[in-house]
Amino acid sequence: MAKILMKGNEAIAESAVRAGGLLYFGYPITPQSEIAEYLAHRMPEVGGVFLQIESEVAVANVLYGAAGAGARVWTSSSSPGISLMMEAVSYIAAAELPCVIVNIVRCGPGLGGILPSQGDYFQAVKGGGHGDYRCLVLAPCSVQEAVDLMPLAFDRADRYRNPVIVIGDGMIGQMMEPVEFTEQQFPPLPPKDWATTGCQGRKPNVINSLYLDPVEEEKLNFKLAAKYEQMKKNEVRYEKFRTDRELECLLVAYGTTARVCKTAIQRLDDEGIPTGLLRPITLFPFPEEAIYELSQRARFLLSVEMSTGQMVEDVRLAVGRSKPVYFYGRAGGMVPSPEEVVDAVKRYLAGGDR
Amino acid sequence: MQIETVFAGFGGQGVMLAGRVLAEVGMKLGKEVVWLPSYGPEMRGGTANCVVIIADEPIASPIIAHPRDTVVMNRPSLEKFCPAQKPGGYAIVNSSLINIRPDRDDIRVVEVPANEVAIEAGSGKAANMVMLGAYVGVTGIVPVEAVIEQIKEEFQAKAKLIPLNITCVERGYDIGRAAAGYCV
Amino acid sequence: MKVIFRRPESLSVTPTHYCPGCTHGIIHRLIAEVIDELGLREKAVGIAPVGCSVLAFNYFNFDFQQAAHGRAPAVATGIKRARPDLIVFTYQGDGDLASIGMSEIIHAANRGEKFTVVFINNAIYGMTGGQMAPTTMPGQVTTTSPRGRDVNDVGYPIRMCELLSSLRTPAFIERVAVHNPKQVINARRALKQAFIYQRDRVCFTFVEFLSTCPTNWGMSPVQATRWLEENMMPYYPVKNFKTPEFTEGQNAD
Ligand SMILES: Cc1ncc(C[n+]2csc(CCOP(=O)(O)OP(=O)(O)O)c2C)c(N)n1
Ligand code: SF4
């Protein structure tokens, strides 16, 4: 199929439709409203459901209901809206229901602004809502990768019976790049025999997250924990860029920031400062092993983010005290430029700012 | 090779569309492309701009602090973007609305009376296409025929507008070609 | 010399960011005039919503708080319960008030919170670029109802005045318009009445303004006015819905 030029938001919507994400519920918010607007005309064409709901609080609970009834269901929003969904996401994780949530992150806290940011890292990877749970978190760095990750997101949500978050900064949503939609094959999924589809011919199913008996609740907690361990074993995804050599510095960055780092690396090469990049594609599970391994051939690591320092904490956990880990970030809708990353690397090389 | 071009002007001048046409053409020629809009609360009335990147290799950073070229349709855009251009780049300046020139001697400036040309061709609204044509004429970044093909596709639903837009691209192109030899 | 037109003290000197033909500006001015006239500026606290009027705090010359999307009535409740002597009003669009904030507005009204709500009904989401609102008219095309609002799928537009009037708690509830001078005079009267009831600690007060959004309706300001008259006014009647039994000055300090 020929490539088509598409805006990230619309490409995400189309990819979800092709992956069978035919139930979408949402509430408008910049910079991702194009997803809903695209689906408002696309869903009727494919016999799917598009519905604008009164709030993100309600959207996430609609997801809970639809997922509990066995549907492949998803939503999208941006940071303030995602915060409102956190209540239900905790219930969804507890009741082990599959759904996909796209967060086109804007800058915060509070109402913040509508420009790109990576300030929702903690919320996405550390649970976000109350209680002891995790979401699988996928972080594309291009429109094509966003398209490619949507079918995976739906598959993994169903396979693990867990919410999957696809996180992109505002730029991923707004930018146009050529994309190709290719069909992905996945092994067959187990039947959703737990769903509330009507109990004809079987015992009633209950979707629930209330466990007053501590023995039962702890059982659930450890069951979920075991599931997250499975994700850590099987789902870690990352890209290595120019790491097949001895490095002065290993950059760690995801999403658009990783692309900025690639340009910085080319410039650093010109100046004879070999630098590499590890780009996490899954933020949970985090590619700790890969980062640790690569860190051993670098003098130091630099986490580059559109935040005041969130992922850097996980990078530090990954390398322990074996190597220094520094941070460079811009926030508030400002995007780090390749020049700034080059300067930051040189500054730490020279021993400054330590 | 990688060329970055900023298209900038008032909201409503069609800079986003001009940039998108170029990006579409680049893609169809098999290049790597990115089209990145500025997006902000000033969707209307304020300034609008987009960056188009056309490259032979995969595009790393889509964020461009120093574009090679600019296509500026109003004065605030010239003041904002021309100072950031890389030396040796091109600035296509809409002289219908801008009465200053970029204060630089290391970029090549082409003045295009885009509004006048477009009005003469039938509607001032197509000034963006005059600018696009001129840019293609000066730089040869893509063949003008491919731009014309793209315009036919872009305006499929409003076929009435196709001849006007093609005429504007062609007139802009001629101005660009003529300037290509001597622009400094 | 008699001054016949001057900037109300309650308005600041900042130019607004509203589009040409948008009614937000007129309504700001009416609020400022009424607050000046009642001498309430130094006790006033406004609450800005999330919507096109999110920057309202820049345009008024008195205290303001900015609320999360839809939560202004809860914020106002907090202020008013902490400081009943303050004059508190929320300024909310139809997405903010009738969609995401429906719960907050109903419960504030039902508790009879003694603040004033200025409700801007422009039948669309302005700020986010023209999506369907709960008040969007049947058949009206928006970016999320590209084939027009289908009442069989998403129901009929919500009439907030009618809905809130059904609550038993006493209140002042009125719908007004501002698209011609006669309507503006009437709107000013209703708004002033609302602030008087608040000042005198009588009841919850709610004034709905039928408004235009030429930008997202895709119309010129003149066309927008006509569209409002022909489509919104028959469905959203301009009138008083509820008045408390009370005589002015009864509870005055
Ligand atoms: C929790 C949350 N969800 C969504 C948004 C995005 N948002 C900003 S304004 C708005 C609606 C504005 O419409 P309305 O209240 O009708 O006011 P208008 O702009 O028309 O004046 C929305 C949905 C947000 N800021 N926060
Ligand atoms: S978008 Fe609509 S509501 Fe917002 S300022 Fe413009 S006209 Fe007014």
Side-chain angles (χ1 to χ4, degrees), chain B residues 41 43-44, chain C residues 126 215-216:
Chain B
M43 274 200 318
R44 303 154 211 110
Chain C
T215 301
N216 286 304

Side-chain angles (χ1 to χ4, degrees), chain A residues 27-29 56, chain C residues 24 50 52 69 93-96 122 124 126-128:
Chain A
Y27 186 79
I29 185 166
E56 294 89 345
Chain C
H24 273 305
V50 177
C52 280
H69 195 24
D94 42 30
D96 194 80
N122 59 12
I124 206 153
M127 182 183 220
T128 40

